[in-house]
Amino acid sequence: MRYLVRDRMLAFHEEAWVETEHREKLLKVNRKLFRLRTTFDFVDTQGNQVASIVKKTLTLHHTILIKQNGELVGRISKRAFGFFGDRFKASLTDGRRVRIVGSFWDREFDILYDGTCLARISRRWFSIRDAYAVDVMSEPDALLLIVLAVCVDHTLEDRKGERLTNL
């Protein structure tokens, strides 16, 4: 199933919507501003918070904690340096270790577990709008895979901002 994550432009605070390929809204992603740590809340259409991500501060690797129902379900981190593309790893509390590999320049990433592709994140065809697709092959893990996709996108946007400020 294909999901689309669309950033809302010109909003007072940052928010995005996760929609199905048929444009049905499923989740709103709110970024909490004015906090010590960067936090995103995933809220369903009834207003219930179903997940959140929190960027850890003062870490060597860019690390984000993933929570569902207030409990930690995993953490995702990015290597500080990579010569052959961008690589992320996610450690889930159920024991799975998921790899996310791809390229910032190609705007394509695969979420892999034991060599099997669980989802593909693609911003390639959405360069004009702030949107990207998440093709989920493992439907029971759809929410977690969408959360991982938002983590990857947020990390890459942070890196792009860091590069611009260093120029």
Side-chain angles (χ1 to χ4, degrees), residues 56-85:
K56 288 184 72 175
T57 55
L58 303 172
T59 59
L60 181 61
H61 299 285
H62 195 107
T63 302
I64 298 176
L65 303 176
I66 302 167
K67 296 181 179 182
Q68 286 181 328
N69 300 321
E71 296 197 20
L72 184 69
V73 294
R75 73 180 65 230
I76 181 172
S77 61
K78 183 187 182 321
R79 288 187 179 171
F81 303 102
F83 294 109
F84 302 107

Short mmCIF file of all heavy atoms in Angstrom, two decimals, residues 56-85:
data_model
loop_
_atom_site.label_atom_id
_atom_site.label_comp_id
_atom_site.label_asym_id
_atom_site.label_seq_id
_atom_site.Cartn_x
_atom_site.Cartn_y
_atom_site.Cartn_z
N LYS A 56 17.10 12.84 20.40
CA LYS A 56 17.97 12.95 21.56
C LYS A 56 18.98 14.08 21.31
O LYS A 56 19.45 14.26 20.21
CB LYS A 56 18.71 11.64 21.81
CG LYS A 56 17.82 10.53 22.34
CD LYS A 56 18.61 9.30 22.66
CE LYS A 56 19.43 9.54 23.89
NZ LYS A 56 20.15 8.34 24.34
N THR A 57 19.29 14.80 22.37
CA THR A 57 20.27 15.87 22.25
C THR A 57 21.62 15.39 22.75
O THR A 57 21.71 14.43 23.51
CB THR A 57 19.82 17.10 23.08
OG1 THR A 57 19.60 16.69 24.42
CG2 THR A 57 18.56 17.71 22.51
N LEU A 58 22.65 16.03 22.29
CA LEU A 58 24.02 15.76 22.71
C LEU A 58 24.43 14.30 22.50
O LEU A 58 24.92 13.64 23.41
CB LEU A 58 24.21 16.17 24.17
CG LEU A 58 23.90 17.62 24.50
CD1 LEU A 58 23.95 17.84 26.00
CD2 LEU A 58 24.83 18.56 23.78
N THR A 59 24.21 13.79 21.30
CA THR A 59 24.65 12.44 20.97
C THR A 59 25.64 12.51 19.81
O THR A 59 25.58 13.43 18.99
CB THR A 59 23.46 11.54 20.55
OG1 THR A 59 22.82 12.11 19.43
CG2 THR A 59 22.49 11.35 21.68
N LEU A 60 26.54 11.53 19.74
CA LEU A 60 27.51 11.48 18.66
C LEU A 60 26.83 11.19 17.33
O LEU A 60 27.10 11.83 16.33
CB LEU A 60 28.57 10.41 18.96
CG LEU A 60 29.67 10.25 17.93
CD1 LEU A 60 30.46 11.55 17.78
CD2 LEU A 60 30.60 9.11 18.32
N HIS A 61 25.94 10.22 17.33
CA HIS A 61 25.15 9.90 16.14
C HIS A 61 23.80 10.57 16.28
O HIS A 61 23.29 10.74 17.37
CB HIS A 61 24.95 8.39 16.00
CG HIS A 61 26.23 7.64 15.84
ND1 HIS A 61 26.95 7.64 14.69
CD2 HIS A 61 26.92 6.86 16.71
CE1 HIS A 61 28.02 6.89 14.83
NE2 HIS A 61 28.03 6.41 16.06
N HIS A 62 23.22 10.94 15.17
CA HIS A 62 21.88 11.53 15.16
C HIS A 62 20.91 10.43 15.61
O HIS A 62 20.67 9.47 14.87
CB HIS A 62 21.57 12.00 13.74
CG HIS A 62 20.41 12.91 13.66
ND1 HIS A 62 20.54 14.25 13.45
CD2 HIS A 62 19.09 12.69 13.79
CE1 HIS A 62 19.35 14.81 13.41
NE2 HIS A 62 18.46 13.87 13.62
N THR A 63 20.35 10.51 16.81
CA THR A 63 19.52 9.44 17.37
C THR A 63 18.13 9.97 17.68
O THR A 63 17.97 11.04 18.25
CB THR A 63 20.14 8.87 18.66
OG1 THR A 63 21.44 8.38 18.35
CG2 THR A 63 19.31 7.75 19.23
N ILE A 64 17.12 9.19 17.28
CA ILE A 64 15.72 9.54 17.52
C ILE A 64 15.05 8.36 18.21
O ILE A 64 15.20 7.21 17.79
CB ILE A 64 15.00 9.87 16.20
CG1 ILE A 64 15.64 11.10 15.54
CG2 ILE A 64 13.52 10.10 16.45
CD1 ILE A 64 15.06 11.45 14.19
N LEU A 65 14.30 8.64 19.29
CA LEU A 65 13.55 7.62 20.02
C LEU A 65 12.13 7.55 19.45
O LEU A 65 11.52 8.58 19.15
CB LEU A 65 13.49 7.96 21.50
CG LEU A 65 14.83 8.14 22.22
CD1 LEU A 65 14.60 8.57 23.66
CD2 LEU A 65 15.64 6.86 22.14
N ILE A 66 11.60 6.34 19.33
CA ILE A 66 10.25 6.13 18.80
C ILE A 66 9.40 5.56 19.93
O ILE A 66 9.77 4.57 20.56
CB ILE A 66 10.28 5.14 17.62
CG1 ILE A 66 11.20 5.65 16.52
CG2 ILE A 66 8.87 4.90 17.09
CD1 ILE A 66 11.54 4.61 15.48
N LYS A 67 8.25 6.21 20.17
CA LYS A 67 7.35 5.76 21.24
C LYS A 67 5.96 5.53 20.68
O LYS A 67 5.50 6.26 19.80
CB LYS A 67 7.28 6.82 22.34
CG LYS A 67 8.60 7.05 23.04
CD LYS A 67 8.46 8.08 24.13
CE LYS A 67 9.80 8.28 24.85
NZ LYS A 67 9.68 9.23 25.94
N GLN A 68 5.30 4.49 21.22
CA GLN A 68 3.90 4.24 20.93
C GLN A 68 3.20 4.03 22.26
O GLN A 68 3.69 3.28 23.11
CB GLN A 68 3.71 3.01 20.04
CG GLN A 68 4.09 3.25 18.61
CD GLN A 68 3.86 2.01 17.75
OE1 GLN A 68 3.99 0.89 18.21
NE2 GLN A 68 3.53 2.24 16.50
N ASN A 69 2.09 4.69 22.44
CA ASN A 69 1.33 4.61 23.70
C ASN A 69 2.20 4.92 24.91
O ASN A 69 2.09 4.30 25.96
CB ASN A 69 0.67 3.24 23.85
CG ASN A 69 -0.28 2.93 22.72
OD1 ASN A 69 -1.00 3.81 22.25
ND2 ASN A 69 -0.26 1.70 22.26
N GLY A 70 3.12 5.86 24.76
CA GLY A 70 3.98 6.29 25.86
C GLY A 70 5.15 5.39 26.16
O GLY A 70 5.96 5.70 27.03
N GLU A 71 5.27 4.26 25.46
CA GLU A 71 6.36 3.32 25.71
C GLU A 71 7.34 3.31 24.55
O GLU A 71 6.94 3.38 23.38
CB GLU A 71 5.81 1.92 25.94
CG GLU A 71 4.95 1.84 27.17
CD GLU A 71 4.75 0.41 27.63
OE1 GLU A 71 5.56 -0.45 27.24
OE2 GLU A 71 3.78 0.19 28.37
N LEU A 72 8.61 3.18 24.88
CA LEU A 72 9.66 3.14 23.87
C LEU A 72 9.53 1.85 23.06
O LEU A 72 9.47 0.76 23.61
CB LEU A 72 11.04 3.18 24.55
CG LEU A 72 12.24 3.23 23.62
CD1 LEU A 72 12.31 4.56 22.90
CD2 LEU A 72 13.52 3.01 24.41
N VAL A 73 9.45 2.00 21.71
CA VAL A 73 9.37 0.82 20.85
C VAL A 73 10.61 0.68 19.98
O VAL A 73 10.79 -0.34 19.31
CB VAL A 73 8.10 0.82 19.96
CG1 VAL A 73 6.86 0.69 20.80
CG2 VAL A 73 8.06 2.03 19.07
N GLY A 74 11.45 1.71 19.95
CA GLY A 74 12.67 1.60 19.16
C GLY A 74 13.45 2.89 19.13
O GLY A 74 13.03 3.91 19.66
N ARG A 75 14.62 2.79 18.52
CA ARG A 75 15.45 3.98 18.31
C ARG A 75 16.10 3.85 16.95
O ARG A 75 16.42 2.76 16.51
CB ARG A 75 16.46 4.15 19.43
CG ARG A 75 17.62 3.21 19.44
CD ARG A 75 18.60 3.45 20.58
NE ARG A 75 17.96 3.19 21.86
CZ ARG A 75 18.01 4.04 22.89
NH1 ARG A 75 18.70 5.14 22.83
NH2 ARG A 75 17.38 3.76 24.00
N ILE A 76 16.25 4.97 16.30
CA ILE A 76 16.88 5.01 14.99
C ILE A 76 18.07 5.95 15.07
O ILE A 76 17.99 7.00 15.71
CB ILE A 76 15.88 5.43 13.89
CG1 ILE A 76 16.54 5.46 12.51
CG2 ILE A 76 15.24 6.75 14.19
CD1 ILE A 76 15.56 5.69 11.38
N SER A 77 19.17 5.56 14.46
CA SER A 77 20.35 6.43 14.45
C SER A 77 20.99 6.40 13.08
O SER A 77 20.85 5.45 12.32
CB SER A 77 21.35 6.00 15.54
OG SER A 77 21.79 4.69 15.31
N LYS A 78 21.70 7.46 12.79
CA LYS A 78 22.39 7.61 11.52
C LYS A 78 23.87 7.71 11.78
O LYS A 78 24.30 8.38 12.70
CB LYS A 78 21.93 8.86 10.79
CG LYS A 78 22.59 8.97 9.43
CD LYS A 78 22.30 10.25 8.76
CE LYS A 78 22.94 10.29 7.40
NZ LYS A 78 24.25 9.71 7.29
N ARG A 79 24.63 7.05 10.93
CA ARG A 79 26.08 7.18 11.02
C ARG A 79 26.48 8.61 10.71
O ARG A 79 25.90 9.25 9.84
CB ARG A 79 26.76 6.26 10.02
CG ARG A 79 26.69 4.83 10.39
CD ARG A 79 27.53 4.05 9.44
NE ARG A 79 27.49 2.65 9.81
CZ ARG A 79 27.98 1.70 9.06
NH1 ARG A 79 28.53 1.99 7.91
NH2 ARG A 79 27.92 0.45 9.45
N ALA A 80 27.49 9.09 11.43
CA ALA A 80 27.94 10.46 11.22
C ALA A 80 28.57 10.64 9.85
O ALA A 80 28.41 11.67 9.21
CB ALA A 80 28.94 10.85 12.31
N PHE A 81 29.29 9.64 9.37
CA PHE A 81 29.96 9.73 8.08
C PHE A 81 29.65 8.49 7.27
O PHE A 81 29.66 7.39 7.80
CB PHE A 81 31.48 9.85 8.26
CG PHE A 81 31.88 11.01 9.10
CD1 PHE A 81 32.24 10.81 10.43
CD2 PHE A 81 31.87 12.29 8.60
CE1 PHE A 81 32.59 11.88 11.23
CE2 PHE A 81 32.21 13.36 9.40
CZ PHE A 81 32.58 13.16 10.71
N GLY A 82 29.41 8.67 5.99
CA GLY A 82 29.20 7.54 5.10
C GLY A 82 29.72 7.85 3.72
O GLY A 82 29.40 8.88 3.15
N PHE A 83 30.54 6.96 3.19
CA PHE A 83 31.11 7.20 1.87
C PHE A 83 30.25 6.63 0.76
O PHE A 83 30.28 7.10 -0.35
CB PHE A 83 32.52 6.57 1.79
CG PHE A 83 33.50 7.25 2.70
CD1 PHE A 83 33.96 6.61 3.83
CD2 PHE A 83 33.93 8.54 2.44
CE1 PHE A 83 34.86 7.22 4.68
CE2 PHE A 83 34.82 9.17 3.29
CZ PHE A 83 35.29 8.51 4.40
N PHE A 84 29.48 5.59 1.05
CA PHE A 84 28.72 4.90 0.02
C PHE A 84 27.23 5.02 0.27
O PHE A 84 26.52 4.04 0.34
CB PHE A 84 29.14 3.43 -0.04
CG PHE A 84 30.60 3.27 -0.32
CD1 PHE A 84 31.45 2.85 0.69
CD2 PHE A 84 31.12 3.56 -1.57
CE1 PHE A 84 32.80 2.70 0.44
CE2 PHE A 84 32.47 3.41 -1.82
CZ PHE A 84 33.31 2.99 -0.82
N GLY A 85 26.74 6.23 0.41
CA GLY A 85 25.32 6.44 0.63
C GLY A 85 25.00 6.62 2.10
O GLY A 85 25.84 6.46 2.97
#
